[in-house]
Amino acid sequence: MEVEETWAGGLADAAKSLWSVDLADPRFQPLLEPPSDPKFGDAASGVAFRLAKDLRKPPRAIAEELAKAVAGLPYLERAEVAGAGYVNFRATRAFHGETILRVRAEREKFGRSPAGGGRRVLVEHCSANPTGPLHIAHGRQAAVGDALANLLDFAGYRVDREFYVNDTGGQIENLGRAILWRYLESIGTTFARETRGQDAWLVGHGFEFLEKNLYRGDYVSELAAEMKQRYGDGLAAKPDAVAICGRIGKERLLEEIRKTLEDFRVRYDTWYSQEELEKSGRVEKVVEFYRSRGLAYEKDGAQFFKSKEFGDPEDRVLVKSDGSYTYRTPDIAYHRDKFERGFETVIDLWGPDHHAHVATMEAGLRMLDIPIGTTRAFRALLVQHCRLLRGGAEVKMSKRAASYVTLRELIDEVGVDAARYFFIMRKTTSHLDFDIEVAKRQTLDNPVYYAQYAHARICGICEQGRAKGMIDPAEVRNGMWDGPFDAAHLSDGDIELVRACRGLRRAVEAGARDLDPAIVTDFVYRLSGAFQRYYQKFENTVLTPEEPLRRARLAACGAVRQTLRNALAILGVSAPERL
RNA sequence: GCCCCCGUAGCUCAACUGGAUAGAGCACCGGAUUUCUAAUCCGGUGGUUGCAGGUUCAAGUCCUGCCGGGGGUACCA
């Protein structure tokens, strides 16, 4: 049991015996909260404010009575009234000593929470079409998605990570056409540009291409070159030339996407193929289901479904008048399958352009009798745009001119750690300014190095201690001293560090609740800062000659080191022993 | 038109779901190194939280209406 629960129980007992009030009533919650400032101790209660009306007494007087009544609770050094009616709880030194022991015992599990109760969650993220290399927007989705999955795992959920491969449909066909177009160029075809209505077409060698649908970029030409090597001049004569180009193109590009994500330390449990989904008949079944329930109808030769009745602003097309599906039909079937595979919470990370799709998907799932919002949840997170800057100036990205920065290029330039940290640094739902120059800078305004430096410093202390003979190598485990210490020698500074470490669990729970790993980057930054200040306070001499103090300090530092490692691990950022 | 998101220091952002004096970093000014990594730390300047109402003991946070920015509103994905 966490100490806060014990103390909250003490408050409830006090209220019952003093005034016969049941604090379990939601009106009085929360009984304890983290203090806004470390100087207020380890937990604060604002419950006196909430009791004031019922008891018809000023909050301050209620707080006085409560503070008196809770004296003597376990691990409680003292409870004191502050402000207009807060009761601040301060833990004993022994408690903080035990926290250090707990960090040592739990090691890479310290900070985990049982909040998720082992419930199964699927996080689908990135899911870029295999029609080009990953770019910056995908990078943010992958970094956030991967960290969110780590975070939920840390918060006690059973998490699977999935990439949905859009390996069939119109975009793959467009890719095939683009490759064929470049291929034809490479074997000497010249195209005539014809304007028909609003659109421009490229005509030559018996083919015609709608110009606005052609992918550009060097990778298309590279794939065309591969086709030429493979088929010589004979490809154009094949009746399924577009399909061949599309198939080979998507295979190559998907391979590249996998490789880039792997290098970005993003792993998936499953790569789910849309093509296989369609072959399985699940898409037809969804359409049949809607029809059988009278939820679908025909209009203008297309099949609509009545999503409007289920919260969507409009009814939407499921089957186009040419008989093919819109993108949402297989997508709904896919999400139905997610729930059928046993996931209770299904989380999708989408780009902001999918905004309108959220209501449609929710409606579609409700229409399938999936109890969204009760025992099951569908959460679409719209990962907001990321503006790329270079020394304060915006890097303009134009897909047309193929001048956009790819994720690969970004990783090569700033490194995986900085890229991941920066992508996660801001709230997922907020726009993000990513300054390449700042991310590369190895100075104090780069929070990645700030945190890694704090970790490396602690490792340095341990190493120095051994070199100076102040640390017994036999007491070093997993790269950190963890010998015996006396909690009575923990200074206020040490305690502040230990207190900060305990915040990881709270950050994990808040992050899991809000589905936002940015809360963890915040935590990392605060804990690093707490350590840097602590370090400076001892004038760079944590290794004091006074052995009992030295042991206490090393113990506190060891807790910070482990906690930082755990938090950075959630973010997928490395914790090097030296920089 | 309608639907979402966002307006907090000059800039980029916090504020732990309504609580204590709205905090950090950058920038600017001034300090601290015989070090265990100065890739650090300390101090200072800087605010009518877009505007106006409302609810509350208590509002940056919740409600309403304006103003401003972004996104969406396909038989594209």
Side-chain angles (χ1 to χ4, degrees), chain A residues 228-350:
Chain A
K228 191 179 171 191
Q229 201 175 15
R230 199 150 158 175
Y231 293 94
D233 294 350
L235 181 62
K238 293 186 180 289
D240 54 347
V242 169
I244 292 171
C245 288
R247 183 172 52 75
I248 293 177
K250 83 183 177 195
E251 281 168 10
R252 292 285 176 280
L253 290 166
L254 186 60
E255 211 35 61
E256 193 179 320
I257 287 169
R258 282 177 189 262
K259 184 76 180 59
T260 303
L261 287 170
E262 201 180 306
D263 292 344
F264 199 41
R265 294 187 210 128
V266 174
R267 302 273 142 73
Y268 292 93
D269 296 291
T270 39
W271 295 75
Y272 193 105
S273 159
Q274 179 180 353
E275 193 172 17
E276 281 167 34
L277 172 81
E278 295 193 4
K279 280 187 195 150
S280 76
R282 286 189 170 84
V283 187
E284 282 91 338
K285 276 192 195 132
V286 164
V287 178
E288 280 162 23
F289 182 93
Y290 292 137
R291 276 206 203 103
S292 70
R293 293 288 180 98
L295 294 167
Y297 61 92
E298 197 164 317
K299 195 178 104 183
D300 307 329
Q303 289 281 329
F304 282 70
F305 79 151
K306 299 180 178 172
S307 52
K308 194 171 178 178
E309 288 176 21
F310 293 81
D312 198 354
E314 297 291 340
D315 286 350
R316 310 285 179 181
V317 175
L318 289 181
V319 186
K320 298 182 235 174
S321 51
D322 68 1
S324 64
Y325 296 121
T326 62
Y327 72 99
R328 38 179 99 84
T329 317
D331 217 20
I332 291 169
Y334 169 44
H335 283 77
R336 176 194 217 181
D337 183 58
K338 287 180 178 180
F339 286 107
E340 283 173 351
R341 281 185 278 155
F343 295 102
E344 286 182 59
T345 301
V346 167
I347 298 170
D348 285 23
L349 277 76
W350 291 344

Side-chain angles (χ1 to χ4, degrees), chain A residues 3-24 28-33 43-48 50-51 62-71 73-74 76 79-80 85-89:
Chain A
V3 72
E4 287 87 351
E5 294 168 33
T6 310
W7 291 345
L11 278 170
D13 293 344
K16 183 146 276 174
S17 65
L18 284 168
W19 312 292
S20 307
V21 173
D22 184 10
L23 290 187
F28 301 123
Q29 300 293 325
L31 301 189
L32 283 172
E33 19 187 342
S45 177
V47 76
R50 270 154 255 152
L51 282 165
I62 297 168
E64 307 265 8
E65 288 184 70
L66 284 174
K68 206 167 289 171
V70 297
L73 285 174
L76 182 63
E80 53 200 1
Y86 280 95
V87 183
N88 290 334
F89 289 65

Side-chain angles (χ1 to χ4, degrees), chain A residues 130-133 175-176 178-184 186 215-231 235 244-256:
Chain A
T131 52
L175 173 69
I179 295 170
L180 183 61
W181 164 55
R182 291 298 195 196
Y183 164 83
L184 291 170
S186 75
Y215 288 100
R216 284 145 204 278
D218 296 341
Y219 67 93
V220 179
S221 302
E222 285 163 22
L223 287 165
E226 189 185 329
M227 300 308 285
K228 191 179 171 191
Q229 201 175 15
R230 199 150 158 175
Y231 293 94
L235 181 62
I244 292 171
C245 288
R247 183 172 52 75
I248 293 177
K250 83 183 177 195
E251 281 168 10
R252 292 285 176 280
L253 290 166
L254 186 60
E255 211 35 61
E256 193 179 320

Side-chain angles (χ1 to χ4, degrees), chain A residues 433-448:
Chain A
D433 280 350
F434 190 130
D435 196 318
I436 296 176
E437 292 305 322
V438 175
K440 272 164 70 179
R441 213 176 288 161
Q442 306 203 339
T443 59
L444 64 157
D445 51 346
N446 186 338
V448 187

Side-chain angles (χ1 to χ4, degrees), chain A residues 363-376:
Chain A
L365 292 171
R366 266 187 224 113
M367 292 158 83
L368 290 167
D369 293 336
I370 295 169
I372 301 301
T374 51
T375 59
R376 297 197 171 159

